[in-house]
Amino acid sequence: MWADYTAPGAERLLAAPRSVAEPAEGFAGGLVALALSQYAEHATKDLQYIALRAGKSLQGAVDATTAYLRGDEEMAAEAQRKALGEPRVDVPGVGGA
């Protein structure tokens, strides 16, 4: 009786890929390729944001230091405020932004 239930499941397991790297039949890229594609689609905007944020922070530090060295503390404070602003990320074909 149990054999009636387990045999179809066992057949499916034996037909499954032996590892994640081995693509499933009819799916050329396999699960790894699908996962990487979805991750890249999701992470692109975040990674660009991090790069832009770091660039703005560094430029703000340079501008503030330059202004401070020139003796203009008000200018230095304004440069620091601008560096804290949020960057806008425009990725063609990703999201609605």
Side-chain angles (χ1 to χ4, degrees), residues 30-86:
L31 296 176
V32 173
L34 176 63
L36 289 173
S37 170
Q38 289 175 346
Y39 173 77
E41 184 179 322
H42 171 75
T44 298
K45 194 167 187 174
D46 292 338
L47 293 173
Q48 286 192 337
Y49 173 87
I50 290 168
L52 290 171
R53 172 81 271 156
K56 283 189 74 166
S57 295
L58 290 172
Q59 188 59 53
V62 168
D63 294 346
T65 302
T66 302
Y68 180 78
L69 291 174
R70 289 183 184 156
D72 190 347
E73 291 182 13
E74 183 179 335
M75 187 184 216
E78 180 62 24
Q80 288 173 340
R81 278 193 292 278
K82 284 183 181 179
L84 292 176
E86 294 292 326

